[in-house]
């Protein structure tokens, strides 16, 4: 046996969508119902486990043998479920995920959607969702079903037979995907990155559940107090109701179409007195800091560790990792100087003191979310991240000499950028330091073709920059970074030429080529960015843009428009992702346990007295062979709970 393709159907009373697969299999009623498989592309067989059939011993042996390639769509689910079923941990090595393979080519991350996009002959059966709802999750007891809380095969044999066909079809669809994608194999290096990702997800990170529970209780108590105060002021039955509050405001002579965050902020600027007071209470009630804490309660395992928080290749256009379940990629930052005090007050249930000391309890709870992640007893966290990684990558790619010099000398890119733009010396805490903020916002907003709109979106006018100053800021930044601007449009021309002529082009060390209806951009690491069915089309300005098929911001498969600066953003973020993946590989080989990573930052759990911040930063900042002359730097700190350093 060289390979085996697998799909399983399971039952658990735990909600998979809220909790993830790890708590799902911990449920005492977890069960594998059906096991479909194909050995070396032979006909698919279905083992009816729910009716007492046994998975063949040769198959069970293959699941433990990393020399046998296991193919599964979303392999993490099958591997963890089968680990539970077999009573032994199945290591990730040897498991290959068809979903990841699709992601590397910019295809959707669902089996049904991939089948439709690829126009497969055998697609996922449409009735699958209703069958899963019937057999794989608890049912509501009714008089007609005899008050039962679960549907078994005996309750509908006809449906069960269709379910078995559905299970078989999933394997057939997966095999067709494998066959269709065979001309675009995933590299061994990427599979190694995937296996490390799975180990990190399996290891998980510990949560301080006493603190989490107290934070939820604090939020509840505080909001009850806010509602009481709002009721007293408005005399409304439910002051948190948008319609009721709109009517109350109308009685005060204020007509509003919306009470979203921006609208409330505008109303606060225009009103005072009781209206202002009520709107401030509305802001507090609208805050959703507790949602992350509730997600932690859902996700945490019996050993107080949260697992499965990272999605490998979650960002299809760049290959970057994405957050799942708790969504660690968008955790609020913490700026409280007395973070430890605030945390201890919540943990000890001293909510009145917390309310007394801080302007907004909700804001404090939001800033404390990160501190829910803690190392296990006798250990500490070492947190390290790349310093200004995207700014370093784009400077290296464009060969923007003055920027490279700033990084080589260990300078501050925001001050240096402001100095270049305004032609005066700007120091972080010294001469002309007031200009540094303008340099910073320009750096963050303008690197990928952004203009006045990007500066506004980044909050430039709220920072005190006059609107009439914005275009000058754009011009100054672009004039100071002529090589980066040149990079945008060289990439734009190269991509368009490749699509028009189908002839490959190499530019800035990037190989851009067209093959079988796909545009590829080969990064310096050897990994390729992929764009499905690219064409040239007229844009709304009468010029020519590139469009390609992909999952858009509304999660639908559609045509997406792009141009040079956007492709450069994909390239830069893709290179940054490869640097992170290679650094995690080095850290793992050094025996360091990564328990979480967020953007360009890693969180490592180490035994007290072992390893050091300096060692971790040195390993992270090592330059891979393909990144000669790139100046990398990592910064870090150690801590007893996760925080932003």
């Amino acid at each position: 046996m060289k390979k085996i393709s697998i799909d399983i159907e399971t039952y658990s009373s735990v909600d998979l969508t809220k909790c993830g697969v790890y708590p799902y299999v911990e449920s005492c009623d977890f069960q594998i119902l059906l096991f479909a498989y194909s050995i070396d592309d032979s006909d698919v067989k279905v083992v009816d486990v729910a009716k007492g059939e046994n998975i063949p011993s040769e198959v069970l042996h293959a699941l433990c043998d990393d020399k046998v390639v296991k193919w599964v769509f979303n392999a993490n689910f099958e591997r963890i479920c089968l680990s539970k079923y077999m009573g032994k941990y199945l290591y990730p090595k040897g498991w290959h995920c068809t979903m990841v393979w699709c992601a590397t080519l910019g295809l959707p991350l669902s089996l049904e959607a991939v089948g439709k996009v690829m126009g497969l002959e055998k697609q996922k059966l449409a009735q699958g969702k209703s069958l899963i709802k019937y057999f794989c999750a608890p049912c509501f007891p009714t008089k007609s079903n005899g008050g039962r809380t679960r549907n078994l095969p005996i309750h509908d044999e006809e449906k069960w037979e269709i379910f078995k066909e559905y299970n078989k079809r999933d394997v057939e669809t997966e095999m067709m995907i494998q066959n269709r994608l065979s001309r675009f194999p995933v590299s061994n290096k990427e599979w190694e990155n995937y296996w490390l990702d799975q180990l990190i997800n399996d290891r998980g990170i510990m949560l301080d559940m006493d603190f989490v529970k107290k934070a939820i209780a604090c939020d509840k108590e505080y909001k009850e107090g806010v509602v009481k105060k709002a009721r007293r002021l408005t005399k409304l039955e439910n002051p948190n109701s948008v319609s009721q509050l709109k009517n109350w405001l109308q009685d005060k002579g204020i007509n509003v179409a919306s009470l979203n965050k921006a609208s409330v902020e505008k109303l606060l600027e225009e009103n005072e007195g009781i209206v202002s007071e009520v709107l401030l209470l509305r802001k507090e009630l609208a805050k959703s800091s507790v949602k992350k804490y509730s997600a932690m309660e859902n996700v945490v395992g019996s050993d107080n560790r949260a697992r499965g928080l990272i999605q490998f290749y979650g960002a299809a256009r760049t290959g970057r990792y994405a957050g799942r379940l708790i969504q660690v990629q968008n955790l609020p930052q913490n700026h409280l100087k007395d973070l430890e005090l605030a945390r201890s007050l919540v943990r000890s249930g001293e909510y009145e003191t917390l309310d007394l000391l801080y302007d907004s309890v909700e804001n404090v709870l939001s800033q404390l979310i990160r501190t829910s992640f803690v190392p296990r007893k006798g250990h500490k966290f070492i947190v390290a991240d790349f310093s200004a990684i995207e700014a370093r990558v784009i400077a290296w790619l464009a060969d923007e000499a003055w920027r490279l010099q700033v990084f080589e000398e260990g300078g501050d890119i925001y001050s240096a950028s402001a100095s270049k733009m305004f032609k005066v010396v700007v120091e972080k805490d010294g001469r002309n330091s007031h200009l540094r903020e303008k340099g910073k916002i320009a750096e963050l907003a303008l690197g990928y073709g952004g203009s006045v709109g990007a500066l506004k979106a980044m909050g430039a006018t709220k920072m005190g920059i006059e609107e009439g100053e914005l275009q000058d800021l754009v011009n100054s930044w672009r004039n100071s970074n002529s090589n980066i601007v040149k990079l945008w449009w060289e990439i734009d021309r190269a991509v368009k030429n490749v699509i028009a002529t189908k002839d490959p082009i190499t530019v800035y060390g990037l190989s851009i080529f067209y093959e079988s209806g796909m545009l590829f951009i080969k990064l310096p690491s050897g990994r390729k960015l992929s764009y499905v069915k690219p064409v040239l089309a007229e844009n709304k300005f009468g010029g020519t843009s590139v469009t390609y098929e992909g999952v858009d911001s509304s999660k639908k498969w559609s045509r997406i428009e792009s141009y040079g600066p956007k492709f450069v953003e994909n390239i830069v973020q893709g290179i940054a992702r490869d640097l992170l993946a290679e650094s995690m590989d080095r850290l793992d080989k050094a025996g360091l346990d990564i328990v979480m990573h967020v953007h360009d930052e890693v969180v490592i759990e180490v035994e007290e007295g072992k390893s050091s911040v300096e060692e971790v930063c040195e390993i992270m900042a090592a330059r891979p062979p393909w990144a000669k002359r790139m100046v990398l730097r990592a910064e870090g700190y150690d801590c007893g709970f996760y925080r932003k350093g």
Side-chain angles (χ1 to χ4, degrees), residues 1-17:
M1 185 190 306
K2 290 183 179 179
K3 74 171 186 176
I4 181 170
S5 298
I6 301 165
D7 186 74
I8 64 174
E9 306 301 338
T10 58
Y11 175 88
S12 174
S13 56
V14 169
D15 187 337
L16 180 65
T17 58

Side-chain angles (χ1 to χ4, degrees), residues 419-579:
S419 297
K420 194 82 173 168
M421 290 164 65
F422 303 113
K423 305 200 178 346
V424 294
V425 174
V426 178
E427 297 171 339
K428 188 173 182 180
D429 298 305
R431 286 176 291 175
N432 299 308
S433 60
H434 65 286
L435 293 174
R436 182 180 182 271
E437 278 304 303
K438 293 183 180 181
K440 180 176 181 178
I441 201 160
E443 283 294 310
L444 296 175
L446 306 179
Y448 303 122
S451 188
V452 170
L455 287 171
K456 285 183 179 179
M458 198 66 72
T461 52
K462 290 181 181 177
M463 286 171 46
I465 300 174
E466 296 293 329
E467 188 152 349
E469 200 182 342
L470 297 180
Q471 188 58 55
D472 288 341
L473 207 58
V474 173
N475 296 340
S476 295
W477 189 90
R478 291 185 180 181
N479 290 336
S480 301
N481 293 277
S482 57
N483 279 2
I484 290 176
V485 174
K486 181 183 175 186
L487 169 69
W488 299 341
W489 304 117
E490 288 285 341
I491 294 296
D492 188 77
R493 278 190 289 273
V495 168
K496 287 174 180 174
N497 282 337
V498 169
I499 294 171
T501 66
K502 308 299 185 285
D503 293 330
I505 292 177
T506 298
V507 59
Y508 289 96
L510 307 162
S511 297
I512 305 174
F513 60 97
Y514 184 95
E515 184 182 341
S516 302
M518 305 277 285
L519 175 75
F520 293 100
I521 302 177
K522 188 176 181 182
L523 303 178
S525 65
R527 187 170 66 89
K528 295 187 285 288
L529 305 184
S530 308
Y531 302 87
V532 180
K533 297 180 182 176
V535 296
L536 300 178
E538 185 177 323
N539 60 33
K540 61 184 178 182
F541 304 108
T544 302
S545 286
V546 175
T547 71
Y548 59 88
E549 292 184 3
V551 179
D552 63 17
S553 56
S554 62
K555 309 295 183 188
K556 293 180 180 177
W557 186 260
S558 63
R559 282 224 154 254
I560 298 169
E561 186 177 336
S562 195
Y563 68 123
K566 192 67 182 174
F567 284 114
V568 168
E569 182 178 21
N570 291 171
I571 291 162
V572 169
Q573 292 185 351
I575 292 171
R577 177 269 187 197
D578 291 342
L579 290 168

Side-chain angles (χ1 to χ4, degrees), residues 103-117:
T104 66
L105 294 166
L107 295 167
L109 300 186
S110 87
L111 188 59
E112 183 178 11
V114 171
K116 287 179 180 177
V117 167

Side-chain angles (χ1 to χ4, degrees), residues 91-341:
Y91 284 88
K93 188 176 180 183
W95 289 76
H96 290 63
C97 183
T98 321
M99 183 177 77
V100 166
W101 197 352
C102 290
T104 66
L105 294 166
L107 295 167
L109 300 186
S110 87
L111 188 59
E112 183 178 11
V114 171
K116 287 179 180 177
V117 167
M118 296 179 75
L120 299 179
E121 180 188 342
K122 290 189 176 182
Q123 296 189 21
K124 193 176 180 78
L125 293 179
Q127 59 267 61
K129 286 181 183 177
S130 63
L131 292 168
I132 287 170
K133 185 178 179 181
Y134 189 82
F135 288 115
C136 299
C139 64
F140 190 76
T142 63
K143 192 175 285 187
S144 62
N145 72 12
R148 67 175 182 268
T149 57
R150 179 181 174 185
N151 295 315
L152 298 171
I154 56 170
H155 296 126
D156 197 321
E157 291 287 358
E158 187 177 344
K159 273 186 180 176
W160 185 251
E161 289 304 311
I162 298 171
F163 197 35
K164 287 166 74 172
E165 185 58 35
Y166 167 80
N167 181 220
K168 178 184 177 185
R169 174 63 64 85
D170 274 6
V171 177
E172 291 171 340
T173 304
E174 289 165 21
M175 289 165 65
M176 291 184 76
I177 292 170
Q178 292 168 38
N179 183 57
R180 188 73 67 86
L181 301 184
S182 59
R183 73 189 77 174
F184 306 119
V186 178
S187 69
N188 290 335
K189 178 60 182 170
E190 264 322 285
W191 285 126
E192 288 171 5
N193 288 336
Y194 169 69
W195 295 331
L196 175 57
D197 165 84
Q198 293 294 282
L199 284 172
I200 293 168
N201 274 303
D202 293 349
R203 183 179 294 136
I205 185 169
M206 185 163 282
L207 291 170
D208 182 345
M209 290 310 295
D210 289 339
F211 170 74
V212 170
K213 286 179 169 61
K214 289 288 176 60
I216 292 171
C218 177
D219 177 81
K220 183 181 178 185
E221 186 174 309
Y222 176 71
K223 280 190 172 168
E224 284 174 353
V226 171
V227 168
K228 282 180 184 176
K229 188 174 180 181
R231 276 200 190 113
R232 190 169 67 250
L233 290 170
T234 62
K235 304 296 188 286
L236 294 174
E237 183 183 342
N238 179 13
N240 201 26
S241 162
V242 172
S243 59
Q244 288 184 36
L245 190 55
K246 277 184 179 179
N247 290 335
W248 183 83
L249 288 167
Q250 194 169 22
D251 290 342
K252 301 286 181 186
I254 303 166
N255 292 310
V256 291
S258 170
L259 283 173
N260 61 23
K261 187 178 179 181
S263 300
V264 170
E265 290 290 352
K266 191 171 186 299
L267 288 168
L268 280 167
E269 291 173 8
E270 299 168 349
N271 294 277
E272 54 186 23
I274 189 172
V275 171
S276 176
E277 202 173 346
V278 169
L279 289 170
L280 285 170
L281 294 173
R282 165 72 189 172
K283 271 183 72 175
E284 288 296 286
L285 289 170
K287 286 177 181 172
S288 57
S289 57
V290 76
K291 285 184 179 178
K292 295 275 189 194
Y293 293 114
S294 298
M296 290 173 185
E297 274 198 315
N298 290 333
V299 168
V300 71
S302 57
D303 59 355
N304 281 349
R305 294 185 83 86
R307 297 177 169 86
L309 305 184
I310 309 295
Q311 173 67 60
F312 186 78
Y313 236 101
R317 241 87 71 198
T318 63
R320 278 191 156 185
Y321 304 83
R324 291 292 182 266
L325 302 169
I326 298 174
Q327 293 294 348
V328 296
Q329 305 281 20
N330 64 1
L331 296 172
Q333 290 197 4
N334 45 255
H335 302 288
L336 290 174
K337 291 180 181 177
D338 48 0
L339 196 65
E340 201 146 349
L341 170 63

